[in-house]
Amino acid sequence: MILAIDTETTGIDFFHGCRPFLVTMCDGEENYHWWGEVNPYTREVFWQEEDIDAIQSILNQADTLVFHNAQFDMRALETIGINIESLWDKVEDTLLASHIFCSGDSHGLKDLAIKYLHYWNDDEEQLEIAVKSARQRVSKLGYKIAKYGDSQSPGLTKATSWWKQDYWLCPDECLYYALCDVEKTWLLWNAFKPALVQDGFWKVYQLRKQLLEICYSVTSAGLHMDRQAATEYVTNLEAKIKKIRKYLSKQLKIKPLFNWNKREHLLYLLHNHLKIPVLYTTPGGSPSADKKAVADYYAYSNSPLLRTVLIGRRIETERRYVQAYYNWLADDSCLHSNLNITGTRETRQSSSNPNQQNIGKKLTKLFLPPQGYVWWDADFANIELRIWAYAVGNKDLISMFERGESVHMFIMTLLFPSEAAAYKKDHKNQVLANRYRDVKGGTFALIYGATEKKADETYGKAGACQIIFKYFPGIAEYTQSLTNQVFSNFYDLKRPFVYTIGGYPLDVPIDEPFKCCNYYIQGSAGIFMSKAMIAIHNLPIYKTSGSQIVQQVHDSLKVQVPINKYIHDTIERLKEAMSMCATDIFGKTPISYEILYNPKDESLLQDIDILPPF
DNA sequence: TGCCAGCGCGCG
DNA sequence: AAAGCGCGCGCTGGCA
């Protein structure tokens, strides 16, 4: 029996008490549903034991469980006491399948139903109207409707569509909506499955499906944060920000606190107070105060006030990030961010609620392993550049990688010989370091499909591309052949796409075919990372040692490893597994890693002799 | 008050 | 003819 399942919940943050209040299922013949009782004053949900048993029993009996975004609904089910551990092997996900058929489109259930099933109804609109009016009606009754600042969703911002968390106010409309959703999910899977097989995508679907349980476990484990350090950090920054704003207001002689995020305030400072002439305008013609304009005005005026504004802005950005992490923190002092498998239009994952993939370099020190663990923090060395070199097929480029030499350094030598020589001797020289940074940027621009003009600009040298093309023949041909693949697929299969290494199809906008180079590289790297995570997860020692992947940032992985006598062996195996993910293309991929310790951990002192060297 | 677009900025 | 890619999130400011 193929069973489609959906849950409706009181919110998305299951780590702060949000819960499902309705479970719906469809087996193709019949629909089923179970209600939990929402306490309108607390938003807590009460479930009858026999209903949980009934849900568990039907889940256990089904041959196939179909979800649209399995991670979410499995989490919801787990929070009300469903045992999900044995279910993963029979889970299918229409979200994963949809991404294979159309990596660039929306994967919303409603859109998919229209596109593939010609199934349209206005259940969503009806529900929205009902919920919005119900929220107004019950606000006088003292009900705990969802809103900014709620204890069950401390991380969500003002800009959230809060009404979506109050479906429980409208049981009739909600049930109709939820049953439509499971029907759509069931029908979609029955359409997708044969298509996956027929189009030759079954294998790559199976590969990606293994990520479901793995990403779920990453979210469950969470990333441990130093709560106290974070609090102190925010308090400290807040004080600084206040001081700076007061100072600016005083200098400018304005009443309300100066706000560097307000265009008006910035313009007042620039043109009224500092009397700098208007040098930049927006496309609409009004004076501009965007990043580039402000930076140039500072270079032009060298005004200490403007410098203060730039510093204040930077500090405020930092505070905003730390505050958000703090708000999302659960009782276990961990961030349980989602790791979204279909989060990007290539095969990379995205992270959300909060985003763990853009934690500022300065803020990483606020995160550290919990007592009894270390973090193995590993990186693929230059994975994207490596994929590019092999795709171009240039022997010199490839052998440079195989000899472990720095391609960036080589290109710097090619373009700026004397500076490169000097930089090799003196890595601390800031001017030379900036030159190296620009060269690196230029090469990335090049492999991501920039025009020659743009790449030359980034390199900081006219004709840079021509020099590189001449030295490494094959680059232009590679770009051309990949673009040809897009057009020939469009012609033959009516779908413009490129295959990544590993055979995953990625859509390329037909009016922007130059993007295919980027998609191929990012997508192939995404497949390698997927394989690495799967290999690590399947290591026997990973399980027996109690290790757990806690973070993935595209080309890097953090694994939380218990401090015990297996630690050396575990790390050796982790490294081996990760480096083997692309052997079919370029042998072992070099991995660089470091071990991160919690300095306050007492077990470090006892077990210091078994630890890897600092 | 809620919603959306535009922008900036963190990461790869 | 011209084009460097991919994310998530917080804030402002305009609109209903």
Side-chain angles (χ1 to χ4, degrees), chain A residues 215-240:
Chain A
C215 290
Y216 186 92
S217 75
V218 173
T219 302
S220 302
L223 190 74
H224 186 257
M225 190 178 189
D226 186 337
R227 187 185 286 267
Q228 200 194 330
T231 316
E232 285 164 11
Y233 207 86
V234 169
T235 314
N236 184 10
L237 294 187
E238 222 145 49
K240 275 190 190 165

Side-chain angles (χ1 to χ4, degrees), chain A residues 67-72 74-75 88 91-100 102-103 107 204-219 337-352 357 504 506 522-523 525-527 529-531 533-534 552 554:
Chain A
F67 296 92
H68 189 73
N69 191 8
Q71 288 199 78
F72 182 87
M74 289 285 264
R75 176 83 55 203
W88 285 110
V91 166
E92 307 289 352
D93 196 327
T94 48
L95 182 54
L96 291 184
S98 166
H99 192 277
I100 294 183
C102 205
S103 59
H107 307 296
V204 83
Y205 170 77
Q206 293 296 327
L207 176 88
R208 294 257 287 177
K209 205 175 76 175
Q210 294 178 70
L211 291 175
L212 281 174
E213 189 181 355
I214 299 173
C215 290
Y216 186 92
S217 75
V218 173
T219 302
S337 306
N338 301 309
L339 190 51
N340 311 307
I341 302 172
T342 55
T344 73
R345 57 170 308 146
E346 317 95 340
T347 62
R348 305 212 301 197
Q349 277 69 58
S350 76
S351 165
S352 60
Q357 291 173 329
Y504 197 96
L506 294 176
Q522 278 200 29
I527 293 292
M529 175 50 86
S530 306
K531 288 187 172 174
M533 290 172 79
I534 293 165
Q552 182 250 67
H554 311 309

Side-chain angles (χ1 to χ4, degrees), chain A residues 99 159 261 390 513 583 597:
Chain A
H99 192 277
N261 296 319
Y390 278 77
T583 42
Y597 302 91

Side-chain angles (χ1 to χ4, degrees), chain A residues 41 230 334 410:
Chain A
Y41 303 105
C334 288
F410 185 87

